[in-house]
DNA sequence: TAGATTGTTAATCGATTAACAATC
DNA sequence: TAGATTGTTAATCGATTAACAATC
């Protein structure tokens, strides 16, 4: 039985629902209607109901949604009910920044190892996590359950290391290197975080605003 | 005269075109057809032509696109022909990681200041950039042209600082704090980088693969 | 029971793909 | 000129919004 594929547009919105429900929960709110939530989140109530009904009927007519229940269910949908172990390849600033993000652990993402090629970093500890040399990667993956590898090294090395990791049975790659990875195994999940792309989008919108301002000045 | 709005779906793809064209340029390729590019990038030729024609006709029938020319034109569209000055609020690991990204400077994004509230960081220098205390923000913005502020501080403080920056005439906010900013001025551009959202999408897809694998095992 | 609000179907809107005449 | 490939219109596909019957 083939599960119907849920569009990535929907998936992208789920973490945001999860965050808002978490805030409501912390604020002691017990139930919420799709309409009330839509006003807070600046989306349509219809979209909320459609999105949620991709995964099941979590609400109740005449009542709305139970905040705690919905929060937990979305957590399960996103896989937050299980622990995910992460290793970070590249222990530079970004790699160390990720290792220091306490937030991730609260969501079930544990950073269990940092790797680099720079001997000066060998054995250095970041929030209790030891930096290892890259040639220890194979042993480490054999001895530990590693689910996700975050790549924060220069883009030239990313492809080779990604495929080395795929060979070691990793499930997913969280890619910060500014390349499109070409993986030997299509079942491995890839999520790209391209910071310079994000910055270029920002700059496009700045320039767009500048042009709009000039135009309105001309027509004044 | 109202310019027709270009959809964010198109804008999101522009940096990727820019990257591929840059690689072709470095490789000494002089011209490329939408079809050849589509094969490399794994998109349809039709989409490439549609996307580009939102901004103008950069190609030539029977010839294709001149790589250097198209690369430069996309650069202008993205605003990369002008310099953008950035300050980073929050000089923790992530803030320092951003300051160390040499890549950004090549694209015209200059990090000119780092700010924090931690006195231990006062005067410390990251790649030649001095860390200042947050109460110097007003003076600094008066004395320097600041276009973009990157927010890497805890989410509780993000909203207040964002609005303080808006008051100081900043054009754009690159937000790494895990909140939706509520700005007093709607003309300020906001670009969010929500790393935990990205991680949750990753984890959704991991779990989806797990489920698919289990299902196929059952039907075997 | 009456009011509220969901789950779901139908209508609309927008984005992607296909097709082809224009033209280098 | 003939072949190649764009720019652009038309067709399709998918995502969002609206509407409403089902039901708590």
């Amino acid at each position: 039985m083939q599960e119907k594929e849920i569009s990535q547009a929907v998936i992208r919105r789920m973490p945001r629902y999860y965050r808002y429900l978490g805030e409501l929960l912390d604020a002691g709110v017990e139930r919420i209607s799709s309409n009330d939530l839509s006003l807070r989140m600046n989306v349509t109530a219809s979209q909320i109901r459609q999105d949620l009904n991709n995964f099941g009927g979590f609400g109740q007519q005449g009542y709305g949604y139970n905040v705690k229940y919905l929060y937990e269910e979305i957590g399960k949908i996103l896989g937050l009910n299980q622990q995910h172990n992460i290793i970070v390849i590249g222990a530079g600033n970004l790699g160390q920044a990720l290792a220091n993000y306490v937030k991730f652990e609260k969501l079930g993402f544990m950073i269990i190892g940092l790797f680099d090629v720079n001997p000066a970093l060998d054995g250095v500890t970041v929030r209790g996590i030891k930096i290892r040399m890259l040639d220890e990667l194979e042993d480490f993956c054999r001895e530990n359950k590693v689910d996700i590898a975050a790549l924060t090294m220069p883009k030239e090395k990313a492809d080779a290391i990604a495929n080395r990791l795929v060979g070691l049975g990793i499930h997913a790659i969280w890619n910060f290197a500014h390349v499109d990875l070409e993986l030997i195994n299509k079942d491995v999940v890839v999520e790209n975080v391209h910071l310079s792309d994000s910055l270029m989008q920002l700059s496009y919108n700045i320039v767009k605003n500048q042009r709009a301002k000039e135009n309105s000045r001309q027509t004044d």
Side-chain angles (χ1 to χ4, degrees), chain A residues 23 37 41 50 55 101 111 119 140-141 163 169 187 197-198 206:
Chain A
E23 285 169 10
L37 190 57
M41 294 186 65
Q50 286 277 26
F55 303 99
Y101 250 63
I111 298 191
F140 188 89
C141 288
N163 280 305
D187 286 343
D197 284 20
S198 163
I206 292 175

Side-chain angles (χ1 to χ4, degrees), chain A residues 124-175:
Chain A
V124 172
T125 271
V126 180
R127 209 164 60 89
I129 308 156
K130 207 177 101 182
I131 301 179
R132 291 179 169 80
M133 292 295 96
L134 198 56
D135 53 24
E136 301 171 52
L137 187 62
E138 278 70 15
D139 283 348
F140 188 89
C141 288
R142 212 170 297 123
E143 287 158 23
N144 297 275
K145 178 174 170 291
V146 180
D147 303 296
I148 302 171
L151 305 189
T152 72
M153 86 288 288
K155 67 168 193 272
E156 291 72 22
K157 300 177 179 173
D159 224 85
I161 291 182
N163 280 305
R164 194 167 148 196
L165 286 159
V166 169
L168 291 168
I170 222 138
H171 300 130
I173 289 176
W174 198 21
N175 177 40

